[in-house]
Amino acid sequence: MTDRTPRQDIDAERAVIGAVMVDHRNLENIHLKPEDFFLPIHDQLWHMILTEARSGKPFTALALSQKLISDPILGMDASYLHQCMDAAPYGMTEHYAGIVAGVARLRRLADVGIRLQQSAATAAWDTTEAVLDQARATLDATANEASGLRVRTFADALEAAIDRWSSPKGKSYPTGWSELDRKFNGGWHPGQLTIMGARPAVGKSLVAGCAAVAATSYGVGFFSLEMKEYEVVGRMTAASEGIDLHHLNSCDLTEADWTKVARLRSKSAEWPVYVEELSRTSMAQIRAQVRTWKRRGPLPLVIIDYLQLVAPADTREQRERQVARIAEDCKHLAKEFDTHVLALAQVNRGSTQRSDPRPTMADLRESGGIEAHADNIILLHRSDEMEGEIEFIIEKNRHGETGKINLAWRPHFASVNSMASEPGDFRYGIA
């Protein structure tokens, strides 16, 4: 390599491309742009891989070789794909991706140096200050690009806000309960975290299942860390089609039930709904799964059942700090993927010993960090005096009103219904 040859690492580029073809999951933790690759054929091939991934299509060597027939890359044939696969590393994909990204930044820095040298050689003597200002701006822009920083003025932010305000109701998705939609300024908002807490057996998983059914029209991912997959599906089926949950749990369906199941089987084929049964999973694994779902299309709502069952990143930390980090990661998840995260949480039983047994934010287990990071906190309450009803206690609402909402409780059909009958209300458990 001569001094004038741009920095490059062709072997690392080939290794990264091969790694994602061998195992699609490797792409989830790699954040390279096509222009990060030095070789033009690698640039174009990476662009093709990203395009196929965003479309939900496979990008194996076989799939890409077929793609190259209709969309050829000059100077490359399908046999080169197998050379890349042969170069794929085992367990070191992120290391080689780091090399590609780092060398790309050095090339950009070298380009800046050349431009500055040319500017210094040709500028007039009385433009020195202007040349220096331009040099500083160019260096700052290059450094910000490398580190992911940006310069954002108030005027820039105001323009984005005006675009948002110009929308009739802003960007929101109905929860399925018109009373809650009014409290939340239209429903679930992307980028926000809602914590829904309750004591064991009050019904938080059942309520979450109803929220998932209401989201079948726009997209939802459901992480079940407590219930089995068939239990989640059973509750959603009961709520969606009005089937007695006991019939589903006992595998004793009537002819009418089977007719409803057949109807659900047909219409659910088009639902953008995902259910993932996990046990003691980490937020990193949840983030990777959400990234995979997002490649298939929009995902306005992500439900996690429940927060305290997520495995902590550091098992040596105190429990309250672990839960705080998980809540913080849930908020980051919402912002990173432009989705609304509904995270369920356990509430201590201590509230049952008080004269007013309704839970408060202080009753959330390991609650300090949860309160700080949540945009909204809903606590659920039921009692013998509230036959046929469940209470949503909105303890925190960063962008609207707090207060209480009473809804109809129909556990036999795994449903919680609005007392009203408005267009935004989903009629859970009513065929």
Side-chain angles (χ1 to χ4, degrees):
M1 180 185 295
T2 67
D3 292 341
R4 293 185 179 275
T5 303
R7 291 288 298 273
Q8 58 189 275
D9 194 322
I10 305 304
D11 290 337
E13 293 184 6
R14 196 180 291 118
V16 171
I17 292 171
V20 300
M21 287 193 294
V22 170
D23 188 343
H24 287 16
R25 291 174 297 181
N26 285 323
L27 187 61
E28 296 169 358
N29 299 315
I30 296 175
H31 307 286
L32 294 174
K33 302 183 290 292
E35 57 267 30
D36 290 333
F37 292 83
F38 177 74
L39 279 188
I41 60 172
H42 289 170
D43 177 328
Q44 296 175 65
L45 183 54
W46 191 254
H47 182 271
M48 182 181 289
I49 288 172
L50 294 181
T51 300
E52 296 301 284
R54 292 189 187 107
S55 301
K57 298 177 182 177
F59 43 92
T60 60
L62 178 60
L64 292 177
S65 65
Q66 295 298 312
K67 181 70 174 177
L68 286 170
I69 296 174
S70 59
D71 190 9
I73 295 175
L74 186 63
M76 193 194 88
D77 58 31
S79 64
Y80 187 71
L81 299 175
H82 295 282
Q83 293 182 41
C84 293
M85 291 180 66
D86 291 340
Y90 292 93
M92 298 182 65
T93 305
E94 292 182 48
H95 169 73
Y96 284 99
I99 293 175
V100 173
V103 172
R105 293 189 189 110
L106 291 174
R107 281 200 304 274
R108 295 184 189 111
L109 185 60
D111 289 341
V112 170
I114 292 171
R115 294 201 302 272
L116 294 180
Q117 188 178 33
Q118 292 172 342
S119 180
T122 59
W125 67 269
D126 56 352
T127 62
T128 302
E129 289 301 321
V131 171
L132 286 173
D133 285 344
Q134 183 60 43
R136 292 189 189 100
T138 303
L139 285 169
D140 286 345
T142 303
N144 289 345
E145 181 185 4
S147 59
L149 298 176
R150 63 175 180 170
V151 177
R152 183 77 165 171
T153 67
F154 176 82
D156 295 331
L158 179 60
E159 287 300 318
I162 290 172
D163 289 341
R164 178 183 177 87
W165 297 333
S166 299
S167 176
K169 289 187 178 179
K171 191 177 182 182
S172 63
Y173 298 87
T175 64
W177 303 287
S178 58
E179 299 96 329
L180 188 60
D181 288 345
R182 285 193 289 272
K183 293 283 189 182
F184 282 0
N185 301 314
W188 308 124
H189 289 262
Q192 293 185 11
L193 167 64
T194 294
I195 298 294
M196 181 175 286
R199 295 185 298 271
V202 167
K204 59 183 179 295
S205 294
L206 187 151
V207 173
C210 289
V213 171
T216 56
S217 62
Y218 52 79
V220 58
F222 195 117
F223 289 99
S224 178
L225 282 71
E226 184 177 34
M227 294 191 297
K228 303 290 289 183
E229 179 186 85
Y230 70 84
E231 293 177 294
V232 176
V233 171
R235 293 185 181 205
M236 290 181 64
T237 298
S240 173
E241 302 304 309
I243 300 175
D244 191 314
L245 185 60
H246 176 70
H247 294 179
L248 295 168
N249 289 340
S250 62
C251 303
D252 186 20
L253 281 68
T254 65
E255 286 297 322
D257 293 337
W258 280 118
T259 299
K260 294 175 182 178
V261 169
R263 181 177 62 196
L264 178 62
R265 173 185 277 176
S266 175
K267 67 182 182 182
S268 67
E270 303 300 322
W271 284 359
V273 178
Y274 310 96
V275 178
E276 189 72 23
E277 176 195 329
L278 299 168
S279 177
R280 294 294 291 176
T281 190
S282 67
M283 283 305 300
Q285 292 170 303
I286 288 175
R287 186 180 298 107
Q289 186 62 61
V290 171
R291 185 177 292 112
T292 299
W293 288 338
K294 283 281 286 187
R295 290 202 191 103
R296 299 171 65 95
L299 192 73
L301 181 62
V302 171
I303 299 173
I304 301 175
D305 182 12
Y306 60 90
L307 186 142
Q308 286 100 334
L309 288 182
V310 176
D314 188 347
T315 57
R316 296 168 297 179
E317 289 185 318
Q318 293 184 343
R319 181 56 181 165
E320 184 168 331
R321 181 56 185 155
Q322 290 175 350
V323 174
R325 284 188 183 276
I326 294 168
E328 183 180 10
D329 285 344
C330 285
K331 176 62 177 179
H332 289 325
L333 181 76
K335 295 178 69 175
E336 179 181 355
F337 294 102
D338 195 33
T339 187
H340 190 105
V341 174
L342 173 61
L344 310 189
Q346 285 277 25
V347 169
N348 291 318
R349 294 183 181 273
S351 62
T352 59
Q353 308 303 316
R354 298 194 295 261
S355 57
D356 184 352
R358 289 175 174 81
T360 66
M361 280 196 288
D363 294 318
L364 284 168
R365 291 182 180 173
E366 302 94 22
S367 63
I370 296 177
E371 295 176 24
H373 298 296
D375 294 280
N376 315 301
I377 294 180
I378 303 172
L379 301 176
L380 307 180
H381 175 65
R382 286 192 301 111
S383 67
D384 294 338
E385 292 76 23
M386 298 170 58
E387 185 176 357
E389 292 187 13
I390 185 170
E391 193 172 61
F392 281 26
I393 306 168
I394 303 172
E395 280 279 280
K396 179 180 180 181
N397 185 353
R398 187 166 284 164
H399 307 285
E401 299 177 357
T402 57
K404 298 181 178 67
I405 297 171
N406 283 71
L407 301 173
W409 171 251
R410 303 177 71 233
H412 294 303
F413 296 97
S415 63
V416 173
N417 280 328
S418 173
M419 296 291 194
S421 182
E422 299 183 15
D425 294 318
F426 193 97
R427 308 314 295 167
Y428 303 105
I430 300 175

PDB file of all heavy atoms in Angstrom, residues 339-352:
ATOM      1  N   THR A 339     -41.633   2.787  18.600  1.00  0.00           N
ATOM      2  CA  THR A 339     -42.780   1.962  18.985  1.00  0.00           C
ATOM      3  C   THR A 339     -43.217   2.356  20.385  1.00  0.00           C
ATOM      4  O   THR A 339     -42.532   3.118  21.082  1.00  0.00           O
ATOM      5  CB  THR A 339     -42.393   0.468  18.940  1.00  0.00           C
ATOM      6  OG1 THR A 339     -43.552  -0.339  19.150  1.00  0.00           O
ATOM      7  CG2 THR A 339     -41.368   0.126  20.021  1.00  0.00           C
ATOM      8  N   HIS A 340     -44.379   1.870  20.802  1.00  0.00           N
ATOM      9  CA  HIS A 340     -44.834   2.076  22.179  1.00  0.00           C
ATOM     10  C   HIS A 340     -44.612   0.770  22.927  1.00  0.00           C
ATOM     11  O   HIS A 340     -45.063  -0.292  22.474  1.00  0.00           O
ATOM     12  CB  HIS A 340     -46.311   2.456  22.214  1.00  0.00           C
ATOM     13  CG  HIS A 340     -46.771   2.922  23.566  1.00  0.00           C
ATOM     14  ND1 HIS A 340     -47.017   4.257  23.851  1.00  0.00           N
ATOM     15  CD2 HIS A 340     -47.007   2.242  24.708  1.00  0.00           C
ATOM     16  CE1 HIS A 340     -47.389   4.368  25.117  1.00  0.00           C
ATOM     17  NE2 HIS A 340     -47.394   3.149  25.660  1.00  0.00           N
ATOM     18  N   VAL A 341     -43.942   0.835  24.053  1.00  0.00           N
ATOM     19  CA  VAL A 341     -43.688  -0.356  24.857  1.00  0.00           C
ATOM     20  C   VAL A 341     -44.648  -0.372  26.040  1.00  0.00           C
ATOM     21  O   VAL A 341     -44.695   0.579  26.825  1.00  0.00           O
ATOM     22  CB  VAL A 341     -42.224  -0.398  25.354  1.00  0.00           C
ATOM     23  CG1 VAL A 341     -42.028  -1.581  26.312  1.00  0.00           C
ATOM     24  CG2 VAL A 341     -41.262  -0.516  24.173  1.00  0.00           C
ATOM     25  N   LEU A 342     -45.424  -1.445  26.138  1.00  0.00           N
ATOM     26  CA  LEU A 342     -46.301  -1.685  27.278  1.00  0.00           C
ATOM     27  C   LEU A 342     -45.675  -2.806  28.093  1.00  0.00           C
ATOM     28  O   LEU A 342     -45.698  -3.970  27.674  1.00  0.00           O
ATOM     29  CB  LEU A 342     -47.705  -2.077  26.801  1.00  0.00           C
ATOM     30  CG  LEU A 342     -48.703  -2.519  27.886  1.00  0.00           C
ATOM     31  CD1 LEU A 342     -48.950  -1.400  28.881  1.00  0.00           C
ATOM     32  CD2 LEU A 342     -50.020  -2.977  27.257  1.00  0.00           C
ATOM     33  N   ALA A 343     -45.082  -2.447  29.226  1.00  0.00           N
ATOM     34  CA  ALA A 343     -44.389  -3.423  30.067  1.00  0.00           C
ATOM     35  C   ALA A 343     -45.217  -3.678  31.325  1.00  0.00           C
ATOM     36  O   ALA A 343     -45.533  -2.735  32.070  1.00  0.00           O
ATOM     37  CB  ALA A 343     -42.994  -2.918  30.435  1.00  0.00           C
ATOM     38  N   LEU A 344     -45.579  -4.926  31.541  1.00  0.00           N
ATOM     39  CA  LEU A 344     -46.311  -5.289  32.749  1.00  0.00           C
ATOM     40  C   LEU A 344     -45.350  -5.403  33.920  1.00  0.00           C
ATOM     41  O   LEU A 344     -44.155  -5.662  33.745  1.00  0.00           O
ATOM     42  CB  LEU A 344     -47.053  -6.600  32.539  1.00  0.00           C
ATOM     43  CG  LEU A 344     -47.909  -6.716  31.273  1.00  0.00           C
ATOM     44  CD1 LEU A 344     -48.747  -7.978  31.315  1.00  0.00           C
ATOM     45  CD2 LEU A 344     -48.770  -5.496  31.062  1.00  0.00           C
ATOM     46  N   ALA A 345     -45.864  -5.198  35.123  1.00  0.00           N
ATOM     47  CA  ALA A 345     -45.003  -5.240  36.310  1.00  0.00           C
ATOM     48  C   ALA A 345     -45.793  -5.749  37.507  1.00  0.00           C
ATOM     49  O   ALA A 345     -47.005  -5.522  37.614  1.00  0.00           O
ATOM     50  CB  ALA A 345     -44.426  -3.850  36.608  1.00  0.00           C
ATOM     51  N   GLN A 346     -45.093  -6.410  38.394  1.00  0.00           N
ATOM     52  CA  GLN A 346     -45.709  -6.915  39.617  1.00  0.00           C
ATOM     53  C   GLN A 346     -45.809  -5.801  40.653  1.00  0.00           C
ATOM     54  O   GLN A 346     -44.944  -4.953  40.763  1.00  0.00           O
ATOM     55  CB  GLN A 346     -44.869  -8.057  40.201  1.00  0.00           C
ATOM     56  CG  GLN A 346     -44.999  -9.362  39.449  1.00  0.00           C
ATOM     57  CD  GLN A 346     -46.232 -10.150  39.867  1.00  0.00           C
ATOM     58  OE1 GLN A 346     -47.211  -9.574  40.343  1.00  0.00           O
ATOM     59  NE2 GLN A 346     -46.205 -11.453  39.689  1.00  0.00           N
ATOM     60  N   VAL A 347     -46.894  -5.839  41.431  1.00  0.00           N
ATOM     61  CA  VAL A 347     -47.116  -4.895  42.530  1.00  0.00           C
ATOM     62  C   VAL A 347     -47.096  -5.680  43.831  1.00  0.00           C
ATOM     63  O   VAL A 347     -47.618  -6.804  43.904  1.00  0.00           O
ATOM     64  CB  VAL A 347     -48.462  -4.163  42.353  1.00  0.00           C
ATOM     65  CG1 VAL A 347     -48.840  -3.398  43.605  1.00  0.00           C
ATOM     66  CG2 VAL A 347     -48.394  -3.217  41.166  1.00  0.00           C
ATOM     67  N   ASN A 348     -46.507  -5.110  44.870  1.00  0.00           N
ATOM     68  CA  ASN A 348     -46.461  -5.769  46.171  1.00  0.00           C
ATOM     69  C   ASN A 348     -47.868  -5.958  46.734  1.00  0.00           C
ATOM     70  O   ASN A 348     -48.783  -5.174  46.458  1.00  0.00           O
ATOM     71  CB  ASN A 348     -45.646  -4.923  47.161  1.00  0.00           C
ATOM     72  CG  ASN A 348     -44.185  -4.898  46.794  1.00  0.00           C
ATOM     73  OD1 ASN A 348     -43.617  -5.915  46.417  1.00  0.00           O
ATOM     74  ND2 ASN A 348     -43.564  -3.732  46.880  1.00  0.00           N
ATOM     75  N   ARG A 349     -48.028  -6.988  47.548  1.00  0.00           N
ATOM     76  CA  ARG A 349     -49.333  -7.253  48.162  1.00  0.00           C
ATOM     77  C   ARG A 349     -49.597  -6.358  49.363  1.00  0.00           C
ATOM     78  O   ARG A 349     -50.672  -6.414  49.975  1.00  0.00           O
ATOM     79  CB  ARG A 349     -49.413  -8.718  48.615  1.00  0.00           C
ATOM     80  CG  ARG A 349     -49.394  -9.724  47.462  1.00  0.00           C
ATOM     81  CD  ARG A 349     -49.541 -11.138  47.997  1.00  0.00           C
ATOM     82  NE  ARG A 349     -49.504 -12.141  46.947  1.00  0.00           N
ATOM     83  CZ  ARG A 349     -50.572 -12.545  46.264  1.00  0.00           C
ATOM     84  NH1 ARG A 349     -51.750 -12.012  46.518  1.00  0.00           N
ATOM     85  NH2 ARG A 349     -50.467 -13.462  45.327  1.00  0.00           N
ATOM     86  N   GLY A 350     -48.624  -5.522  49.725  1.00  0.00           N
ATOM     87  CA  GLY A 350     -48.773  -4.699  50.925  1.00  0.00           C
ATOM     88  C   GLY A 350     -49.980  -3.785  50.911  1.00  0.00           C
ATOM     89  O   GLY A 350     -50.541  -3.448  51.963  1.00  0.00           O
ATOM     90  N   SER A 351     -50.414  -3.390  49.707  1.00  0.00           N
ATOM     91  CA  SER A 351     -51.549  -2.470  49.615  1.00  0.00           C
ATOM     92  C   SER A 351     -52.834  -3.089  50.163  1.00  0.00           C
ATOM     93  O   SER A 351     -53.742  -2.368  50.583  1.00  0.00           O
ATOM     94  CB  SER A 351     -51.756  -2.031  48.165  1.00  0.00           C
ATOM     95  OG  SER A 351     -52.054  -3.143  47.343  1.00  0.00           O
ATOM     96  N   THR A 352     -52.913  -4.415  50.173  1.00  0.00           N
ATOM     97  CA  THR A 352     -54.135  -5.078  50.651  1.00  0.00           C
ATOM     98  C   THR A 352     -54.316  -4.897  52.157  1.00  0.00           C
ATOM     99  O   THR A 352     -55.413  -5.134  52.671  1.00  0.00           O
ATOM    100  CB  THR A 352     -54.103  -6.583  50.329  1.00  0.00           C
ATOM    101  OG1 THR A 352     -52.952  -7.182  50.955  1.00  0.00           O
ATOM    102  CG2 THR A 352     -54.005  -6.808  48.821  1.00  0.00           C
TER     103      THR A 352
END
